[in-house]
Amino acid sequence: MRKFVLLLLICLFASQSYASANKKVYVWRNADGVIVFSDSPKADVNADTVDISTTPNIIKSVDTKIIEGTEQPAKNKISIDIVKPTIDETIRDNTGSVYISGAIRPSFKRGLSVVLKLDDKKVKGPQKSAVFILRDVDRGEHRIQLEVWNDSGKVIAVSKPVTFFVHRASVNSPN
């Protein structure tokens, strides 16, 4: 009986050390930038793995870029582009109406808002859409730019500026 208990204890300790020797911890940043540690990988996230050895207090060299925040995964980076009007487009509209649309990548998330700048001045927003309508825009050359703001009002993405031209018919009065 004593040999059986001793054999059972040896098997128990061997299985525990084998199981802990093969465990991994997965580390990644969530959408809000918070570091997440888990014992199981997430399907749509590229996580770093840390092997847990039988000596848990001694971890060999670990890539700490994700912890220090020096490297963000590229797929979480927000970008915005102006789709319409296109660069150097001439808009012919006697009312001066200009329709502006932008595209946010990877996708528009909760808490984000968009601001429109016309000739370096904020004219619309913040709003929850990247589609704007300007009315009564003067004739001539104009420059627009879109900004993405987070829920605390910080600018997190800026589009490349787009120059466009408004053509409106003019009526010359006789002298």
Side-chain angles (χ1 to χ4, degrees), residues 21 26 57 68 75 82 94-95 102 108 110-111 118 129 135 148:
Y26 299 89
N57 293 333
E68 294 167 357
K75 67 180 183 178
I82 297 173
N94 287 335
T95 65
F108 201 95
R110 177 178 286 181
L118 174 68
S129 165
R135 303 284 186 204
V148 178

Side-chain angles (χ1 to χ4, degrees), residues 9 14 18 21 34 40 53-54 58 80 106 116 134 145 149 153:
L9 285 174
Y18 176 77
V34 177
S40 59
S53 65
T54 55
I58 301 172
I80 186 165
L116 171 66
L134 296 177
Q145 197 166 25
W149 293 8

Side-chain angles (χ1 to χ4, degrees), residues 90-129:
T90 298
I91 299 170
R92 300 175 193 288
D93 189 315
N94 287 335
T95 65
S97 296
V98 178
Y99 299 89
I100 298 157
S101 62
I104 297 178
R105 289 180 186 82
S107 65
F108 201 95
K109 296 179 183 176
R110 177 178 286 181
L112 298 181
S113 56
V114 183
V115 169
L116 171 66
K117 286 185 165 185
L118 174 68
D119 299 327
D120 298 320
K121 294 178 187 163
K122 179 183 159 191
V123 292
K124 295 270 187 163
Q127 66 181 38
K128 302 297 180 196
S129 165

Side-chain angles (χ1 to χ4, degrees), residues 61-81:
S61 178
V62 175
D63 184 12
T64 60
K65 289 178 188 171
I66 191 166
I67 296 170
E68 294 167 357
T70 56
E71 185 177 286
Q72 284 279 359
K75 67 180 183 178
N76 287 338
K77 186 172 178 160
I78 302 290
S79 67
I80 186 165
D81 296 308

